[in-house]
Amino acid sequence: MFKKKSAFLALSFVMLTSSLVACSSKNNNGESASPSPSASASSSSQASTTPENAEKPLKFSLFYSDNATLPFKEDWLVVQEVEKRFNVDIDFEVIPIADYQTKVSLALNTGNNAPDVILYQSTKGENASLALNGAIVPISDYSDWTPNFNAKVAEFGLEKDLADLNLKDGKRYYLPSLFDKPFYDGGLILRQDLLAKYGLQAPKTFDDLYNVLKKFKAENPDSYPLTILAGPRVLYRMTMPSFGISVGKNGADGSRTLSWDYEKQTYFPGAISDQYKEYMKFFSKLYAEGLLDPEMADPIDGDKWSTKLATGKSFASYAYYDQIGGVEGAATEAGFDLQMFPPLEGPAGAHHQQKSRTGAGVMFPKKTADRADFEQLVKKIDEIFFSEEGSKIWGLGAEGVTYTMDGDKIKYADEIVNSPNGIYKTMQLNYGAGSDVTQLVWVNAREMTKYDENYSQINATVAAMKDPIQAIPPTPMFDDMTAEEAASLQTPLYDTFEVWADGFLTGKKSLDKDWDKYVKEMQMLQIDRFTQMYNDNLKK
């Protein structure tokens, strides 16, 4: 484990030394290497449009979280275009998403095999402790080196959102992804043609969903009507808020076992709450009655998931809208029609997964500050991901290849528009554009051009609902000692939660007979102390 005090002092010395080295170094033209932010932005822009002037590319290594539904390809257009335009040579280490946090944690804890840059990270959970112990560069100390990021924050009005990401020491340790507006990108997806065939209304509550699935099962006894993409974590994060909780691997606050009471503005131990018991009771009933795909307990890859829906093995799922086109393109049944529906109403109302206008982003391990060209690297990362030019490449691909401009309107290439996968998925799979690992600037109006009119109408319906997408709960302001203690409590609590959650869902454990034993075990692991720590350290 990283030793906090000595390591912190060492990091401070290293970063001070690196800063001095960087400030006194000369660039290839013999000029000062510490321009003002505005001068930096100007010179960076010039360099990006005239790569032939660069003598050699800037090389750096990078952790990339790989999702089975969008497997990374180093020959993606966006990767090649970024490397060419910004004159960089990126060594991607592609890590499966299921192993990603473990790999990141190991690299940050030990400092061994850490890359120069880590994508898709925040300071929720263990990373807060690691940051305060000096394992991560406090990037807010280098604000002058991130002019493009600063400009987007100001353009989107995210100053307060950004301040909320600061830790106890008042510093921020990553460059988050930025959204001008949140949008409803995924939820319940099911066969609308079968609703019409069986004379059913679109579900509005979870009880409605149960009745729909029962009818689907009765008509198709060999099926498992509801399947889930990529395992329980997708189901949990999209449905738990309607039951008043958000726990597990993708819990909104990062604690994994706590939840936020929006009325009382406090944390409570969601993993052992009555709300969670009610939630598991509902989904274990689906599982027991053969309405929920038993294979969802393990991650289901995208191809297998798509085949289940396209071939009538399943009829409903929780997934993202952009995946509908691919399933419909593979379906052979006449009249096959998938539709996405607004959040269903549960005991706590109708809610989707909580969202923030900031998301996971770029983090620099402490050893990166040892690089003599650390300043150049930070400026280059800022330019690649947050400049107008860079952000458009990650989101839209290359102008003249994937799209052209007709005035202020985006026109996608015919092969993309006419693809059976639809614009969004084709842009992702074929060109790498629109990956939430690398696209760090999200402009709602621009994103909507990738979808059809139907999607815009769904978003309008959801926007008219009462608070369907709640805000991400506040992050506690732990000092380094408290963060370290919280991290030591979090791991065994989450490990135990995971084992019991699988048991309750699949019926290996009984919610009636074994619940008290589970609660007692979580209390022995100090979930109440963990909760108190979160509440005691909320920002004042």
Side-chain angles (χ1 to χ4, degrees), residues 144-370:
D144 287 350
W145 299 356
T146 59
N148 292 292
F149 174 81
N150 302 342
K152 286 298 179 192
V153 169
E155 179 184 346
F156 294 170
L158 295 174
E159 291 85 351
K160 182 181 182 305
D161 301 72
L162 204 66
D164 288 343
L165 302 178
N166 292 343
L167 298 183
K168 184 74 173 180
D169 59 0
K171 299 177 186 291
R172 177 173 38 79
Y173 288 81
Y174 68 108
L175 297 170
S177 52
L178 307 173
F179 297 76
D180 69 335
K181 297 176 183 176
F183 59 96
Y184 185 63
D185 55 355
L188 174 64
I189 293 171
L190 61 78
R191 290 277 297 275
Q192 186 159 257
D193 57 312
L194 293 186
L195 290 180
K197 179 179 180 180
Y198 302 141
L200 300 170
Q201 296 294 316
K204 294 184 177 179
T205 69
F206 282 93
D207 288 339
D208 291 343
L209 176 62
Y210 171 75
N211 291 328
V212 167
L213 298 176
K214 286 281 284 185
K215 179 63 175 177
F216 286 176
K217 181 75 173 181
E219 297 288 342
N220 305 274
D222 294 334
S223 70
Y224 290 103
L226 180 63
T227 189
I228 306 299
L229 176 67
R233 61 188 175 83
V234 173
L235 173 70
Y236 290 170
R237 73 182 181 218
M238 290 186 176
T239 57
M240 281 184 170
S242 290
F243 288 75
I245 51 173
S246 181
V247 293
K249 188 172 187 177
N250 292 109
D253 58 74
S255 70
R256 301 192 170 187
T257 54
L258 308 183
S259 291
W260 179 248
D261 187 316
Y262 285 86
E263 289 189 5
K264 297 178 180 177
Q265 295 286 291
T266 57
Y267 280 97
F268 65 97
I272 59 171
S273 65
D274 290 341
Q275 295 95 314
Y276 175 65
K277 186 177 183 181
E278 189 71 17
Y279 177 85
M280 291 306 293
K281 187 176 293 184
F282 177 81
F283 282 99
S284 64
K285 180 175 69 173
L286 299 189
Y287 193 97
E289 296 184 16
L291 306 180
L292 180 60
D293 186 351
E295 290 190 327
M296 63 82 71
D298 296 316
I300 299 175
D301 67 45
D303 288 343
K304 193 172 184 179
W305 170 83
S306 179
T307 300
K308 283 174 180 282
L309 289 167
T311 60
K313 300 296 183 185
S314 298
F315 312 104
S317 187
Y318 272 89
Y320 293 93
Y321 187 83
D322 61 275
Q323 291 156 326
I324 289 178
V327 177
E328 289 185 331
T332 56
E333 187 176 349
F336 188 99
D337 183 13
L338 279 178
Q339 178 62 290
M340 188 168 79
F341 295 86
L344 300 183
E345 183 175 350
H351 301 295
H352 187 52
Q353 67 181 99
Q354 294 95 335
K355 288 187 176 181
S356 168
R357 291 176 65 202
T358 62
V362 185
M363 186 172 281
F364 300 90
K366 76 173 186 71
K367 84 172 185 63
T368 306
D370 294 343

Side-chain angles (χ1 to χ4, degrees), residues 34-89:
S34 300
S36 66
S38 59
S40 171
S42 175
S43 62
S44 296
S45 175
Q46 183 179 16
S48 67
T49 54
T50 57
E52 66 274 12
N53 293 334
E55 292 186 350
K56 60 181 181 179
L58 176 67
K59 300 186 66 171
F60 60 91
S61 57
L62 175 149
F63 273 5
Y64 180 96
S65 176
D66 198 38
N67 192 318
T69 64
L70 182 59
F72 177 81
K73 299 175 184 175
E74 193 149 3
D75 62 353
W76 268 337
L77 172 68
V78 295
V79 173
Q80 295 180 340
E81 195 70 13
V82 163
E83 291 193 324
K84 179 180 69 177
R85 296 237 201 140
F86 297 100
N87 197 30
V88 293
D89 181 359

